[in-house]
Amino acid sequence: MRLILFFLLLFTLSTYSQNNYPQDYFAPPLEVPLVLAGTFAELRSNHFHSGLDIKTQQREGLKVLASADGFVSRIKVSHYGYGKALYITHPNGYTTVYAHLQKFSPEIEAYVKKQQYTKESFEIELFPKAGDLLVTKGNMVAYSGNTGGSAGPHLHFEIRDKNEHPINPMLFGINVKDSTPPFVKAVYAYPIEKHSHVNHSNSKQKLRLIPLQNGDYTVENIEAYGKIGIGIITNDRQDHAPNKNGVDNIQTFFNGSKSYELDFSTFSFDETSHLNRLIDYQHYKEEKERIQKLFNDENPLSILKPSYNDGYLTIKDSTSSVFKIKVNDYKNNPSWITLEIKGVKNDSIKPETKKPTPYFIKADQNINLKEGKFSVDIYKDTFYDDFYMDFEVHNDTLILHDDILPVKKNISISYDVSNFSDTDKSKLYIANVLGYSKYPAYISSSLKGDLLTGRAKNLGTYALALDTIPPTISSKNVRDKQWISNYRFLKIKIDDTPSGISNYRATVNGKWILMEYDYKTKTLTHDFNDGIVTDTKNNLKLIVTDNVGNSSTFEILFYRK
């Protein structure tokens, strides 16, 4: 039977044509009622959420079921991100993803651990052959957990097409009860050109939002002129969860004609960082709120559908216009916002001006900035727009504008460390200086000769930092020379400031042992059921290294029968 399924999979993978989303093919991956903590394409930091976050009743260890027949095509175990993740490819060409898992089913767990011990690494990525790990719809493939970047126990579940594009699982009939329409928190208006204005101002304006008894909204009438854009803060809630989730579709209508649409059904991972262009990035950084722009300012996102005038409104003098916004959730519950606009030209309004600096950045050019010991390389198409950059150097600190503009590519920051001793050179790194953090945040840095280079993912303040402090290591549940015959787990706490943990290696009596690292609790855990520790007298040796090469060694003796 397994052989027949194997050949069926290979045949249908090559012949299936994706024209429609099958409605009864995929089953829910959990046995509990589906309640969501996060929805598809929800706005997250620097990306769209690529699946459904399914609540696991605040518990770990729930059975995770294969959503359909298929084979395990990829397994990834990492400290961050998805943590322990399983990918199952199905005969219809789609792949389902199950992430933040506690552990895999016994067969898959044994397969993974064998490879971890062979490679002597907890973090691992495997691509089993199509016939290695076959699964059947409804069978248990893993247990739910809280590994990786999860903020609490839940199952992250995805459906991807053959191009690895995630698709909203609800389009496949995965059902979640939701009769609650989206909630609208705020509406903003943006004068786009220097002679545009809204309510007698050339600056962004928060409009007075008025909830109506029927659940819709109206906005206090405004006066405007010229080219303007509208932005909205909105989210959705399911019936059985208070979480502020993403919406499914937003459309706008100007004087009865459709002018703009955002459709969150599917996207590509390659484009997801353009979310920072979709939102008002400066507002998000300053206020921690995501205003979604309802106009397309040259954003390449595929979720932006063809629109009239890119969603911008042109308001003429002595006119009356009606602008409507329709926000839909995944169950097609709508919320409507109505805005009446009176066209009033006012020539006395002064345009908002931006303070010029000596550094004018052209988005379509490579740029090198130098001052003191710092050198900054900005590659073309790093920014969306031209702008005046604040660029200052004070001793070992670099001010590279405020983090109020979205960045598409890494920025290279270099520092000449020729004045430092060879010993100190190896302990230096480039750091992002964050106001709320005691220690500057390490960014990936490398030393070549006398040039230390880091890759910055955003604008902000950076500094040269020195880390001579080795990691700390302490046992959580075992003392030196202790008998632990009844213990299943060995737990060790590790930590490092300021540069952070880079790697670790643990051995017992000279043999490498698998230790799982949970960065949230700073804990390494070994499961004695792995069967590696078989002697009575055991010497544990653990070496932990930070990001600049400082290392600490921890050794204890323990006994087991």
Side-chain angles (χ1 to χ4, degrees):
M1 178 63 187
R2 290 170 64 91
L3 190 61
I4 295 173
L5 176 59
F6 168 63
F7 284 111
L8 176 63
L9 286 167
L10 291 182
F11 175 76
T12 53
L13 275 173
S14 61
T15 59
Y16 184 82
S17 176
Q18 298 180 54
N19 295 318
N20 300 296
Y21 298 126
Q23 292 303 295
D24 300 315
Y25 192 89
F26 295 107
L30 293 174
E31 295 174 315
V32 298
L34 298 191
V35 179
L36 301 185
T39 53
F40 184 81
E42 195 169 277
L43 308 184
R44 302 285 180 91
S45 294
N46 302 314
H47 70 285
F48 295 102
H49 188 232
S50 55
L52 303 179
D53 282 347
I54 305 173
K55 290 175 178 281
T56 55
Q57 301 175 340
Q58 301 180 338
R59 295 182 291 158
E60 297 185 41
L62 273 63
K63 291 181 180 180
V64 177
L65 312 178
S67 192
D69 293 347
F71 64 87
V72 177
S73 54
R74 181 184 177 195
I75 305 168
K76 188 171 183 180
V77 178
S78 56
H79 298 143
Y80 309 102
Y82 281 8
K84 294 183 180 182
L86 194 66
Y87 299 71
I88 298 175
T89 297
H90 304 282
N92 63 357
Y94 292 100
T95 295
T96 50
V97 184
Y98 314 76
H100 305 306
L101 303 171
Q102 181 190 66
K103 59 182 178 180
F104 305 108
S105 66
E107 180 185 8
I108 300 172
E109 186 80 5
Y111 178 93
V112 173
K113 282 200 173 184
K114 181 179 179 180
Q115 296 300 317
Q116 288 174 315
Y117 274 99
T118 298
K119 299 178 183 295
E120 295 190 354
S121 175
F122 168 65
E123 290 195 301
I124 197 167
E125 186 170 17
L126 305 171
F127 297 91
K129 295 179 181 178
D132 289 350
L133 296 170
L134 297 175
V135 299
T136 303
K137 182 176 183 176
N139 281 7
M140 193 265 289
V141 294
Y143 295 92
S144 68
N146 187 29
T147 56
S150 171
H154 72 276
L155 175 67
H156 175 88
F157 175 71
E158 296 179 19
I159 300 179
R160 299 182 184 181
D161 66 16
K162 64 180 180 181
N163 297 314
E164 286 292 303
H165 294 168
I167 304 168
N168 184 1
M170 288 184 172
L171 294 172
F172 296 83
I174 300 296
N175 188 37
V176 177
K177 188 174 182 180
D178 181 6
S179 60
T180 307
F183 170 75
V184 180
K185 181 180 180 181
V187 177
Y188 288 80
Y190 293 80
I192 301 301
E193 298 173 334
K194 64 180 182 179
H195 296 300
S196 304
H197 51 82
V198 175
N199 288 342
H200 314 293
S201 174
N202 186 241
S203 303
K204 176 181 73 178
Q205 297 293 303
K206 184 176 183 179
L207 307 181
R208 182 169 175 260
L209 187 66
I210 305 170
L212 302 176
Q213 289 185 350
N214 65 355
D216 291 333
Y217 303 82
T218 186
V219 175
E220 188 175 61
N221 296 351
I222 66 170
E223 294 184 353
Y225 176 78
K227 186 177 182 179
I228 68 171
I230 303 296
I232 184 174
I233 300 177
T234 184
N235 56 64
D236 187 47
R237 291 186 176 94
Q238 280 73 50
D239 287 7
H240 301 299
N243 303 73
K244 296 179 180 179
N245 299 135
V247 301
D248 178 60
N249 184 279
I250 303 176
Q251 298 180 31
T252 68
F253 304 86
F254 187 50
N255 291 331
S257 298
K258 184 177 175 181
S259 61
Y260 183 82
E261 182 177 5
L262 275 168
D263 183 7
F264 295 98
S265 297
T266 184
F267 60 86
S268 164
F269 286 109
D270 293 337
E271 63 176 343
T272 188
S273 65
H274 292 301
L275 172 144
N276 288 332
R277 180 66 163 180
L278 176 66
I279 65 172
D280 183 333
Y281 186 79
Q282 179 174 348
H283 185 93
Y284 169 65
K285 285 295 181 176
E286 294 174 345
E287 305 295 335
K288 305 306 177 188
E289 296 177 320
R290 293 185 176 94
I291 304 173
Q292 298 182 58
K293 301 173 187 174
L294 303 183
F295 51 91
N296 184 0
D297 48 355
E298 299 182 12
N299 192 329
L301 277 171
S302 62
I303 67 169
L304 300 175
K305 301 308 174 186
S307 56
Y308 175 74
N309 200 29
D310 289 325
Y312 291 105
L313 313 181
T314 300
I315 308 301
K316 297 181 179 180
D317 190 24
S318 303
T319 60
S320 294
S321 302
V322 177
F323 181 72
K324 288 182 174 287
I325 307 168
K326 182 186 180 184
V327 184
N328 269 25
D329 64 17
Y330 302 98
K331 288 291 188 174
N332 208 32
N333 299 302
S335 290
W336 284 89
I337 305 99
T338 301
L339 169 60
E340 295 188 8
I341 306 170
K342 183 178 180 180
V344 178
K345 184 178 181 181
N346 189 334
D347 294 326
S348 65
I349 297 174
K350 294 182 179 180
E352 187 179 52
T353 59
K354 297 182 179 180
K355 180 183 177 182
T357 74
Y359 307 97
F360 186 67
I361 306 301
K362 286 187 171 292
D364 63 350
Q365 295 181 7
N366 293 326
I367 296 170
N368 175 260
L369 303 173
K370 289 184 178 180
E371 187 173 335
K373 300 286 186 178
F374 278 104
S375 177
V376 177
D377 286 302
I378 300 171
Y379 306 102
K380 68 177 182 179
D381 297 324
T382 294
F383 300 104
Y384 292 93
D385 303 304
D386 302 342
F387 70 103
Y388 286 102
M389 173 180 279
D390 291 325
F391 175 76
E392 300 177 36
V393 173
H394 303 284
N395 298 320
D396 294 337
T397 301
L398 165 69
I399 298 174
L400 195 62
H401 211 73
D402 289 328
D403 183 17
I404 57 174
L405 297 174
V407 174
K408 291 189 279 185
K409 299 179 181 179
N410 286 336
I411 298 170
S412 177
I413 300 175
S414 299
Y415 190 96
D416 181 353
V417 297
S418 57
N419 290 340
F420 289 84
S421 67
D422 289 341
T423 300
D424 284 346
K425 284 179 185 177
S426 64
K427 307 301 180 185
L428 293 169
Y429 64 99
I430 305 294
N432 191 190
V433 180
L434 305 172
Y436 55 84
S437 177
K438 180 179 179 181
Y439 294 102
Y442 173 88
I443 66 171
S444 179
S445 305
S446 61
L447 180 66
K448 291 184 179 180
D450 289 330
L451 199 63
L452 180 69
T453 302
R455 292 175 297 169
K457 296 181 179 179
N458 50 272
L459 297 170
T461 300
Y462 293 86
L464 184 69
L466 177 68
D467 179 7
T468 59
I469 305 171
T472 60
I473 309 174
S474 60
S475 176
K476 292 189 71 171
N477 69 337
V478 178
R479 300 187 306 274
D480 190 32
K481 299 180 181 179
Q482 181 182 356
W483 281 88
I484 56 171
S485 301
N486 296 326
Y487 286 29
R488 176 173 173 179
F489 299 105
L490 172 67
K491 294 180 179 290
I492 306 292
K493 183 176 181 179
I494 63 175
D495 196 9
D496 183 78
T497 52
S499 65
I501 301 293
S502 173
N503 58 71
Y504 58 89
R505 179 179 175 82
T507 59
V508 171
N509 299 333
K511 293 187 295 186
W512 184 84
I513 62 169
L514 175 65
M515 298 202 81
E516 300 193 4
Y517 178 47
D518 182 353
Y519 77 93
K520 297 188 287 288
T521 61
K522 303 176 182 179
T523 300
L524 291 172
T525 302
H526 173 69
D527 186 348
F528 286 119
N529 283 357
D530 287 357
I532 303 300
V533 180
T534 57
D535 296 335
T536 300
K537 183 179 180 180
N538 299 282
N539 182 67
L540 168 69
K541 184 176 182 179
L542 172 64
I543 301 173
V544 181
T545 306
D546 67 18
N547 278 305
V548 297
N550 298 305
S551 65
S552 296
T553 301
F554 176 83
E555 292 189 76
I556 60 171
L557 187 68
F558 64 89
Y559 300 90
R560 284 176 62 84
K561 287 184 180 179

